[in-house]
Amino acid sequence: MNSSIRSKQIIIIGAVVLLIAFLFTRDIKGLVKPTEENGKMPSTGQVSDAGAASPSALSIETSSTAAKNVLNKNLATDITALENSYKGASGTEKTDLAKQLAQKWDDVEQITPSALYLEVVAENEPSTKTWLAAGNQFIKAFESTQDSLAQPALLQKANTSYKNALEKDSTNIEAKTGLGVTIVNGLGAPMQGIAMLLEVVAKEPKNVKANMNLGLFSIKSGQFDKAIPRFKTVIAQSPTPEAYFYLGTALENLGKNKEAVEAYLNSKKLAANPTLSSFIDKKVAELKNKI
């Protein structure tokens, strides 16, 4: 690989890291990690190679305790009371309390304990719907946590949840998309996950989650021309700061600086984040000098 290509990849990684730090919705965080020296996706998953923690390392008790540390005292007390009722319950009552706790934790944006309670619900009331709910919440927890030790366990739980959903309904597009995302993020050969996501967009060309992840895989592997239509599809359905930012990244790396500026400015407008705005302003100034 020549130095200019490697420099471009370093720039991409730096921009990705900044964006992830600035934006709270990070559906694609797992795909955007520092690449190997050749910039390609590893032949085996990043998560499994990292000596990942087992899913059993996650527990409701430890996750709940950690989450309460960032809540105000009244909220924490309310949740503790509900959890005490949960611990003393059984049967249908216990499942109903697990549903309430999952919602309570979600309401205060503590996603990991919410996901763990949804897993309890799915185990007690197994269906495509309940396993999908658990899988989606585990993915959300994986994408939002800063705990590198918890990430692999959360991803594995998401993977298992989506597999369970597909056992109930092998044709479910949402479950297949979620499973593909977990594989691309490191649970299996990446191309297996890409193939699943391609199956999804073949059936649902406008699927936002599948297109977003395919676009990010294209960026990670340096296929910027393939990334652009993916992000444009996402933006047409659900414009987000991330989609515009990564569209700008792809355009910039193809030398389409005028279009990149427009995409970056749209990202800035939607994010409304002062730090990101400052970064984009510098980026835009740099690109305008090249136009």
Side-chain angles (χ1 to χ4, degrees):
M1 171 180 292
N2 64 46
S3 59
S4 64
I5 294 176
R6 184 173 294 133
S7 296
K8 281 186 176 182
Q9 290 170 344
I10 292 170
I11 291 169
I12 294 165
I13 293 167
V16 165
V17 170
L18 282 166
L19 181 64
I20 289 170
F22 301 141
L23 304 178
F24 60 87
T25 45
R26 305 184 308 171
D27 288 346
I28 38 61
K29 180 182 133 186
L31 277 178
V32 187
K33 295 180 178 177
T35 60
E36 292 184 329
E37 186 176 354
N38 65 4
K40 301 297 183 181
M41 187 71 87
S43 58
T44 56
Q46 298 99 322
V47 168
S48 57
D49 287 349
S54 163
S56 62
L58 284 177
S59 73
I60 286 175
E61 290 76 14
T62 55
S63 297
S64 173
T65 299
K68 286 173 190 173
N69 288 334
V70 299
L71 299 183
N72 70 50
K73 186 176 179 179
N74 289 336
L75 282 172
T77 299
D78 289 345
I79 290 176
T80 296
L82 194 57
E83 287 185 325
N84 288 336
S85 296
Y86 168 82
K87 291 173 184 176
S90 60
T92 302
E93 182 186 4
K94 195 176 188 75
T95 304
D96 289 342
L97 286 167
K99 292 177 184 177
Q100 292 179 47
L101 282 160
Q103 186 59 58
K104 282 277 188 183
W105 281 119
D106 189 53
D107 288 343
V108 295
E109 297 181 353
Q110 296 301 314
I111 310 305
T112 296
S114 174
L116 289 166
Y117 278 111
L118 285 175
E119 182 182 42
V120 170
V121 173
E123 289 170 344
N124 294 334
E125 296 180 354
S127 67
T128 301
K129 181 179 179 180
T130 56
W131 280 118
L132 267 177
N136 289 342
Q137 199 74 325
F138 278 124
I139 276 287
K140 188 176 179 182
F142 165 76
E143 291 162 352
S144 61
T145 185
Q146 298 294 325
D147 186 346
S148 60
L149 295 178
Q151 287 172 355
L154 290 166
L155 190 64
Q156 182 61 65
K157 280 185 172 291
N159 180 276
T160 300
S161 298
Y162 288 129
K163 285 180 178 177
N164 288 336
L166 285 169
E167 284 182 5
K168 299 292 182 182
D169 179 6
S170 62
T171 65
N172 189 278
I173 292 293
E174 188 176 358
K176 183 171 285 189
T177 303
L179 184 60
V181 170
T182 67
I183 293 171
V184 171
N185 272 280
L187 295 182
M191 293 312 300
Q192 178 189 0
I194 293 300
M196 294 186 74
L197 295 177
L198 288 172
E199 284 182 34
V200 170
V201 296
K203 293 179 180 179
E204 292 186 359
K206 297 180 180 180
N207 187 288
V208 169
K209 194 169 186 177
N211 274 291
M212 189 71 180
N213 281 278
L214 287 167
L216 283 158
F217 182 88
S218 295
I219 278 190
K220 185 180 178 80
S221 58
Q223 301 176 80
F224 305 110
D225 56 331
K226 292 184 178 180
I228 290 171
R230 297 296 181 191
F231 294 129
K232 285 185 175 180
T233 297
V234 172
I235 288 166
Q237 307 305 310
S238 178
T240 64
E242 297 93 335
Y244 273 116
F245 187 94
Y246 289 119
L247 174 61
T249 299
L251 289 165
E252 178 185 354
N253 278 276
L254 290 175
K256 298 182 179 182
N257 296 327
K258 186 176 181 180
E259 295 172 62
V261 165
E262 183 180 353
Y264 283 133
L265 289 176
N266 280 323
S267 177
K268 171 185 170 180
K269 181 179 178 180
L270 289 175
N273 179 290
T275 311
L276 179 61
S277 294
S278 177
F279 173 79
I280 287 179
D281 286 343
K282 292 177 182 177
K283 171 66 71 176
V284 166
E286 173 190 330
L287 291 178
K288 283 185 175 179
N289 286 332
K290 300 178 181 178
I291 296 174

